[in-house]
Amino acid sequence: MRPKQDLNLFPTNVMVFASDLDMDKILKASHSIHSSTESVVVSNVGGWQSYDNFIMEDPLLEELFTFQEKCIREYMRDYNSCRYTLSNAWLNINGKGDFNWSHVHPGVQLSCCVYVQNPGSGIDLEDPRSAVSMLQGFALSPRNYVEYNLRPEVGDIIVFPSWLCHKVPPNMTEELRITIASNYSVEAV
């Protein structure tokens, strides 16, 4: 039997883009930034995180932000006309056992994360619909996940709404997990 309607209400759009960026150059810039500045603590437990906006001026990362804007443009393709602005960006480096608490990015509309070096850990995206947990007795499917672990590859860029709660599980390897995160403000035009 086919339903009269099958509504996919309240979707949360998350896109993963593969890049052809020179990740060796971005990794080199990441190590340079890491060795020249102190860490701040925001959502990170252990690990190292740069100050906001510190990395936006690095000429080695200009190509990354240019490509990222193309990803934002594609993400926003089905929305009304809008203007978006890079609000802030920072570097994250997590060693063995380091992780990030569950958090959102307030005051902005879109967030990005670029995977510079990823030893296999991903990002956990949490379902914003709290009542979906009532369906946990059923077999898991995309319609009733409470949490989804996305495992991007090196060079991938994730774009998602900034209000989407997410966390980074502990890095269980000896290899550093290096990401560059950023936020965009979006305005209708």
Side-chain angles (χ1 to χ4, degrees):
M1 174 190 313
R2 297 199 37 91
K4 181 177 178 181
Q5 290 181 309
D6 183 6
L7 304 172
N8 186 11
L9 299 175
F10 317 117
T12 303
N13 199 17
V14 176
M15 290 186 178
V16 180
F17 296 91
S19 77
D20 58 356
L21 296 168
D22 183 348
M23 297 313 291
D24 289 334
K25 182 170 89 171
I26 295 171
L27 182 62
K28 180 180 175 185
S30 299
H31 286 304
S32 174
I33 293 166
H34 177 232
S35 67
S36 65
T37 61
E38 294 181 23
S39 177
V40 297
V41 176
V42 182
S43 67
N44 49 314
V45 177
W48 182 92
Q49 186 172 328
S50 73
Y51 292 93
D52 270 6
N53 300 334
F54 179 76
I55 67 170
M56 289 170 59
E57 303 303 321
D58 192 312
L60 291 175
L61 300 177
E62 185 177 334
E63 182 182 353
L64 163 68
F65 291 119
T66 300
F67 182 80
Q68 193 168 268
E69 286 196 18
K70 292 177 185 175
C71 298
I72 295 290
R73 193 174 317 120
E74 176 61 23
Y75 183 95
M76 298 300 296
R77 181 174 41 90
D78 293 334
Y79 292 85
N80 294 333
S81 295
C82 62
R83 175 178 38 244
Y84 48 87
T85 307
L86 179 62
S87 298
N88 59 342
W90 61 98
L91 175 65
N92 298 294
I93 300 179
N94 283 353
K96 186 172 185 174
D98 300 336
F99 65 96
N100 293 72
W101 292 111
S102 181
H103 63 284
V104 297
H105 298 187
V108 291
Q109 290 71 46
L110 290 177
S111 295
C112 294
C113 189
V114 180
Y115 287 78
V116 179
Q117 186 170 291
N118 188 16
S121 60
I123 181 171
D124 292 338
L125 305 171
E126 301 172 22
D127 193 323
R129 305 164 302 159
S130 59
V132 79
S133 63
M134 294 170 42
L135 297 174
Q136 284 188 341
F138 297 91
L140 286 178
S141 77
R143 291 185 186 245
N144 67 345
Y145 287 139
V146 175
E147 186 173 278
Y148 183 81
N149 180 261
L150 186 60
R151 293 182 177 262
E153 297 175 359
V154 169
D156 285 352
I157 298 176
I158 300 174
V159 181
F160 57 96
S162 300
W163 51 258
L164 182 61
C165 214
H166 58 283
K167 62 187 176 190
V168 178
N171 179 0
M172 302 308 285
T173 73
E174 299 294 331
E175 184 181 359
L176 294 176
R177 178 186 185 276
I178 302 175
T179 61
I180 295 175
S182 56
N183 291 317
Y184 284 80
S185 296
V186 179
E187 298 175 62
V189 291

